[in-house]
Each structure stands twice: as C-alpha cells, then as structure tokens.
C-alpha cells in the first residue's frame, strides 16, 4: 500500500499542478462541477460499491456533476487511516457525490485508471477522471483543500471527523487479507533470484560489462 504510483501509469489523467495548501484558492477552479440539488436529503454519506457493481454505472457521462472516488483495500493500513476522514467528506460537500470501492475486487478499473497503489483518490466529472489526489498527508483538511482548489466549492464550516466516522461506512479497522499485487511481486522476484543463482553463466550477458570481463 504505497502512497504513490509512477506517473507513467496514469495515462488517463492530465497532469494538473498539485496544490500544497489552501493558498491557491484565489485561482480559477480547474473543474466546473454541476452541484446536485440537496433538497430532501437528510443524510449525506458515501456509497461503497460491492463486487458486482460497476463504477461506470454510477457515473453519468452526459452530466457535469462531480464525484470523488476512492480506491482502497480493507487490509491496507493507509486506507484504514484515511477512512474516517473520507467518511466525513460527504457532510463537508453535500452537493458532491462520494464513492469508494475495494480495488482488489475491481482490478479492471484499477488497471484502467492507473490505481496500482492504494489508497488512490480520483475526482471525476461525469465519467471522466479530472484530477488525482497526490498528498501523502490524507486528512479531512487536505482533502477539503484539494476539492476546493479543483472545483472552487467551499466546504461546510462546521464539519469535523466524529466517532461515527471511525465506525463507517468505510472501515477504519484493518481486516486480514492478501495483497495479491505484493505477493506476486515477491514471488516473481524470488523466482528471478533463484533462476539467476542457478543459471549465473547463462545470464551473464544481461549484466553490462560482463562480456568484457575475461578479455585480455
């Protein structure tokens, strides 16, 4: 659960200048979001997609409304520490939508949007990813700054992380699981090392300069 991924793995996104604090608020917003009508909505919370639900069914390509989507895994400690802060965001921005999905259950989406590390947060306008949250400091305040700097929408002033946010809907307690990406990486590395040990002479040509080692 590394906090960063290589930029080359993010072809679907532009490369927006990342904000480091709220002082850039005077700039024009990068994303013009259509804010939803909150009349009649009593409880503002995020929705967690299950394994059978497709993210693209929840994103309307014909609208300009904005959705913040979190890719996480329940056994990643970074995802768990982020959970209560992300749970509080729908109350801070009631006119936006918030979704979360287990990246291990939606591997095709993770590949499509370059989310090879979790937690990963993308801001969508309609069905198009517009910006990626790149801070390693994932708190309610940095998330509010990110949304404001991208959309120009101000957070509700009285929102704070509560005890209820630690309980859900996004889990803040780690569950036992297997990080398959890490497991496959370790197995691949172990296999390569074993191969290199057994076949040292046969792969000597792969090492720069080795072909000249025994020349007079």
């Amino acid at each position: 659960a590394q906090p960063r991924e290589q930029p080359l793995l993010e072809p679907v996104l532009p490369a927006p200048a990342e904000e480091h604090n709220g002082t850039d608020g005077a700039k024009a917003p990068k994303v013009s979001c259509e804010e939803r009508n909150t009349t009649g909505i009593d409880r503002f919370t995020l929705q967690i997609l299950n394994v059978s639900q497709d993210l693209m069914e929840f994103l309307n390509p014909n609208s300009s409304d904005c959705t913040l989507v979190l890719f996480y895994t329940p056994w990643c400690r970074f995802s768990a520490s982020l959970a209560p802060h992300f749970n509080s965001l729908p109350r801070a921005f009631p006119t936006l939508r918030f979704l979360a999905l287990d990246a291990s259950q939606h591997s095709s989406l993770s590949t499509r949007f370059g989310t090879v590390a979790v937690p990963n947060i993308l801001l969508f306008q309609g069905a198009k990813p517009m910006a990626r949250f790149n801070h390693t400091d994932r708190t309610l305040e940095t998330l509010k700054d990110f949304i404001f700097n991208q959309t120009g929408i101000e957070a509700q002033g009285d929102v704070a992380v509560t005890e209820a946010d630690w309980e859900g809907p996004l889990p803040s307690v780690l569950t036992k699981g297997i990080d398959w990406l890490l497991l496959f990486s370790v197995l691949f590395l172990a296999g390569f090392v074993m191969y290199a040990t057994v076949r040292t002479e046969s792969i000597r040509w792969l090492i720069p300069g080795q072909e000249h080692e025994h020349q007079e």
Side-chain angles (χ1 to χ4, degrees):
Q2 298 296 324
R4 293 183 179 177
E5 57 277 357
Q6 296 298 323
L8 292 178
L9 297 176
E10 304 175 11
V12 299
L13 291 179
E18 186 57 47
E19 64 283 351
H20 295 284
N21 51 49
T23 59
D24 294 333
K27 296 181 179 179
K30 303 176 180 67
V31 184
S32 180
C33 298
E34 178 183 344
E35 301 183 56
R36 67 173 178 170
N37 187 351
T38 59
T39 303
I41 302 178
D42 298 323
R43 185 167 178 262
F44 299 97
T45 185
L46 71 94
Q47 181 173 357
I48 299 180
L49 277 59
N50 61 41
V51 66
S52 63
Q53 292 176 308
D54 184 1
L55 171 64
M56 307 317 292
E57 295 178 0
F58 290 82
L59 303 175
N60 183 359
N62 299 318
S63 75
S64 58
D65 60 346
C66 291
T67 306
L68 204 67
V69 180
L70 167 66
F71 293 75
Y72 75 100
T73 56
W75 55 83
C76 168
R77 64 186 181 92
F78 296 109
S79 297
S81 62
L82 165 65
H85 301 274
F86 202 83
N87 285 334
S88 65
L89 276 177
R91 301 194 309 276
F93 297 92
T95 60
L96 302 179
R97 300 172 62 217
F98 296 85
L99 300 174
L101 56 90
D102 184 341
S104 65
Q105 296 180 348
H106 298 81
S107 57
S108 61
L109 286 173
S110 298
T111 301
R112 176 175 179 179
F113 296 117
T115 54
V116 296
V118 292
N120 209 301
I121 302 171
L122 297 179
L123 174 66
F124 284 81
Q125 183 176 44
K128 181 180 179 181
M130 302 298 292
R132 188 186 303 269
F133 180 84
N134 289 322
H135 286 298
T136 55
D137 180 23
R138 306 178 188 90
T139 64
L140 175 59
E141 291 305 314
T142 58
L143 289 165
K144 288 195 298 186
D145 285 344
F146 169 75
I147 293 174
F148 174 70
N149 288 330
Q150 293 294 332
T151 68
I153 299 174
E154 295 187 6
Q156 299 293 314
D158 57 349
V159 175
V161 178
T162 65
E163 290 186 11
D165 293 323
W166 284 90
E167 298 176 359
L170 197 65
S172 60
V173 178
L174 289 176
T175 61
K176 292 183 179 180
I178 300 175
D179 190 333
W180 291 106
L181 182 62
L182 177 61
L183 177 61
F184 286 136
S185 299
V186 170
L187 290 177
F188 176 81
L189 180 61
F192 181 80
V193 170
M194 183 178 297
Y195 175 81
T197 302
V198 175
R199 303 286 301 276
T200 302
E201 293 301 323
S202 64
I203 68 167
R204 186 178 295 275
W205 60 274
L206 291 175
I207 306 174
Q210 290 297 315
E211 64 274 18
H212 305 296
E213 183 177 347
H214 300 292
Q215 293 182 5
E216 294 297 334

